[in-house]
Amino acid sequence: MSGETGMSAREVILARITEALRVPAPLPHGLTAESQSQVRQPQPRAAVTTSGASTAGITVTHAAAGLPTLTVLPEEVARPWLPDGGETQAERLQLLIENLVKLRAIVQQVPDLTAASDYLFTIARERDWQRVAWHPHPLVEPLLGGVPCATYRVDAADFEKNSLESCDAGITSCEALVAQTGSILVSSATSGGRALSILPHVHIVVATCDQIVATLADALHAAKERHEGHMPSMLSFITGPSRTGDIERILVLGAHGPKELILILVG
Amino acid sequence: MIVNHSPAPAAADSQPPRLAKKRFLHDAAEYVRDTGHRAFVRKALNGYYASRDLQKARFRNWEHARDAASLAKWSAVNRLDELLPRFVAAFEANGGQVHWARDAEEARKIVLELVRAARAKAIIKSKCMTSEEIHLNAALEADGYGVVESDLGEFIQQLRGEPPYHFVFPCMHVRRDEISDLFGKHLGTAPTDSPEELTMIARRHMRRLYIDADVGITGANFLVAETGQISITENEGNARLTAALPRVHIAISGIEKVVEHLDDLAVLLPMLATAGTGQPMTCYNTLYAGPRRAGEADGPEEMHLVLLDNSRTAILADPEQRDSLHCIRCGACLNVCPIFKNVGGFTYGTTYQGPIGSVITPHLRGLADWNHLSAASSLCGACTDACPVRIDIAHHLLHNRRNAARTAPNAWERLGHRLFVMVARRPWLFGLGGAVFRHTLPLLKALRPPLLRDWLASRDLPAAPRQSFRRQWERRQPREGRA
Ligand code: SF4
């Protein structure tokens, strides 16, 4: 290890990486290179052509230095191969609901916020909830008027883990709804921090139909745009109520997170 | 600059030479004999096969999607020199703190120091194979810290005092009545045979612990260079809670987990879930960008990331097997492996079991002592077919065998090959050998010479054909009208 003495761990690891990458690796199993002629570009990933030549329909251009050049991002290439996200808004809505139902989430479609508030009242009464947690948001606040129980407001000014833990349900808004997988994208910025959507036994999401996007990539783009490069400290795709299969691979809902996931879809 | 890749000595991993192989052969024989265990594991996997196929069918083209996924990982791993520093800069800009660890010992030291600095009284941990690799729990406990695994499977294994049996399904070999007894013994709960009730026992037990813990330790599935976020995949919500409630969040990750774009996750996450557990997406796929921000309701005050080399750069330096660093630890190759299903997870004696473990362990712990894993393969190629990022695992097992033969040739094997070449070059000798063998086969069966005894213990020799293959071939030619 004589070459490494006096260097920090960071320097050593980076030096090992540089040294290791001197010899180029062959292309991934099953892919073929198009040509050896291109010069390495400053951003090698910038360049992938799609063609039917290789098994994948992806052709990778090998640079002279033996480094790969891609002209399209894998996500763009893969889009037509991934699960369908729906072409029209109506298709997306249908896919989203189908997927959520398969995941054993509950979806309630309501025409407006008043109807949403009525629905919340009904389930809170039915289940005899003592306390529900919420966070300030234009879609969440209007629902609380009529809840037949105590409420706990979660915000930056005062947050108390034990108070939240004692709540029966947490009500949040979300960043986007993904038709492709039935996922709900929440974030620490728009869903009342990190714990509100995971600690209470029931998670209720209030969202509008125009928040539905086709794919996971679309949802990530929407979040990126909304937060203009300064991402919230947590972004989470929630795909159904918490579950585990750890005991004999038998599915059980409600492992550590919410046992129930309810989506109130407005409009 | 010359950088030496000699693997760092890891105290907990070092074994007397060849012990690993001896143990493997012994345990494999034991587990194979245990037909109950085999049947149980197979049954547990049946549900997985069904849901995996269902989810694969939702892809408009699974095979092409595999190409895209392998490309995403390939272009990141092959540009790690550029992307790792980019990720680190972005992660630090988000307010996270990065710690570099050359080997397991350094990583343990870093975590211990962080835990001490946080004056931790209680530590909660969510599933993290990298921490198994560095034997973190033992180090924390030796220093007097209590640490609780929050993932249900890991929690069960922790109570049993066993390492994970499978790196995605940690306790898939344990029956529910055993879990009921275990919970009764450690948590004082009443016996039950309902998986649901058992899960609720763990749920109730754990909730207090999330709230009381000062430090939360998690793994990481992807490091996004573009945005400086780390991605964590899970189903139970325990990682979400671990990264939400304690004051300090420590994540531990191998350096190879980098991807360049956030978009890459739109391909990799659904594929990881489909291949790993047969889900469209796992329940929670979460991206963390540093500690709590001003204006956010909660979240840790500090977020640390330990970046671990621990011989990953040695794999990187081997262009032929570099793609084994593309592994997203979905576990699909284990689930389809006939060896895994027969010898079980513990027999491997490694952190990463199954085919991918057999490929990378020799790099992490030395080829001479771990090459036997590459020999424990039927080379059926099921692992290669299952891998969502198209790692050619089956061929890498052959590469390991070849490398081992080159570095430490076996005198008996060489003698055998030389003899074979000598015989094969002389048709008359070959024919004679065949004739002798055909006639002595019944005698061999009866005598069971020591060389064959092991082999014959679980197999039967076929009956000797009356004629040699060449003879039969000659006789067939005219009848089938071949030229
Ligand atoms: S090698 Fe491939 S199949 Fe095996 S765990 Fe890694 S990603 Fe999954």
Side-chain angles (χ1 to χ4, degrees), chain B residues 27-336:
Chain B
D27 292 359
E30 294 276 294
Y31 272 101
V32 167
R33 224 169 279 141
D34 184 351
T35 48
H37 166 265
R38 273 155 63 188
F40 184 76
V41 166
R42 262 159 221 264
K43 187 167 160 251
L45 283 171
N46 279 343
Y48 159 80
Y49 298 137
S51 42
R52 177 203 59 189
D53 291 346
L54 210 71
Q55 292 309 325
K56 263 193 190 173
R58 290 183 66 248
F59 279 74
R60 282 170 288 181
N61 193 322
W62 170 257
E63 291 306 319
H64 285 187
R66 288 173 74 200
D67 289 318
S70 74
L71 205 53
K73 286 296 295 185
W74 176 76
S75 53
V77 165
N78 282 285
R79 285 164 53 229
L80 203 58
D81 51 344
E82 172 201 338
L83 293 180
L84 189 61
R86 220 168 104 198
F87 163 77
V88 168
F91 181 75
E92 287 174 341
N94 287 331
Q97 299 174 45
V98 174
H99 310 266
W100 301 75
R102 274 166 283 202
D103 51 41
E105 198 193 330
E106 203 163 29
R108 286 192 296 265
K109 243 191 235 155
I110 291 168
V111 176
L112 274 173
E113 264 158 40
L114 290 172
V115 167
R116 269 181 222 139
R119 293 179 204 290
K121 281 187 231 53
I123 304 170
I124 191 98
K125 199 156 153 267
S126 75
K127 194 173 165 52
C128 170
M129 287 313 294
T130 329
S131 79
E132 297 290 337
E133 183 183 326
I134 63 171
H135 306 284
L136 181 64
N137 286 6
L140 286 169
E141 278 155 15
D143 228 42
Y145 294 102
V147 47
V148 179
E149 293 286 349
S150 57
D151 173 89
L152 177 59
E154 295 281 345
F155 178 58
I156 291 169
Q157 288 309 93
Q158 189 182 28
L159 292 183
R160 287 169 65 91
E162 283 175 348
Y165 175 93
H166 176 300
F167 60 74
V168 177
F169 309 143
C171 67
M172 67 177 293
H173 64 302
V174 187
R175 291 189 320 267
R176 64 183 88 174
D177 56 291
E178 297 173 278
I179 298 171
S180 173
D181 291 349
L182 190 73
F183 284 179
K185 186 171 143 213
H186 291 272
L187 310 175
T189 49
T192 167
D193 67 350
S194 143
E196 170 138 27
E197 187 41 42
L198 289 167
T199 304
M200 292 312 132
I201 291 171
R203 178 188 174 95
R204 282 192 294 271
H205 174 73
M206 215 60 80
R207 284 178 88 75
R208 226 19 292 147
L209 303 180
Y210 294 115
I211 292 176
D212 294 340
D214 319 277
V215 172
I217 299 178
T218 70
N221 293 82
F222 302 100
L223 312 173
V224 185
E226 181 192 7
T227 54
Q229 292 166 304
I230 74 166
S231 172
I232 301 179
T233 291
E234 53 147 349
N235 262 317
E236 299 182 358
N238 58 312
R240 282 276 314 266
L241 288 161
T242 301
L245 298 171
R247 202 157 32 76
V248 177
H249 175 193
I250 304 172
I252 308 171
S253 170
I255 52 172
E256 83 283 15
K257 300 273 172 80
V258 179
V259 293
E260 183 172 17
H261 295 97
L262 190 54
D263 272 4
D264 295 342
L265 298 188
V267 181
L268 292 167
L269 295 178
M271 297 192 71
L272 171 59
T274 298
T277 49
Q279 291 175 275
M281 283 274 272
T282 57
C283 265
Y284 303 101
N285 284 280
T286 311
L287 287 149
Y288 293 101
R292 171 190 185 186
R293 292 262 152 80
E296 290 179 351
D298 57 357
E301 289 158 22
E302 293 168 31
M303 179 178 181
H304 300 271
L305 174 66
V306 181
L307 285 175
L308 178 70
D309 177 354
N310 208 24
S311 296
R312 283 161 176 79
T313 45
I315 305 181
L316 196 69
D318 178 358
E320 190 176 53
Q321 293 196 20
R322 190 176 293 161
D323 69 350
S324 56
L325 293 176
H326 299 184
C327 176
I328 56 176
R329 302 280 186 262
C330 69
C333 54
L334 280 65
N335 300 342
V336 299

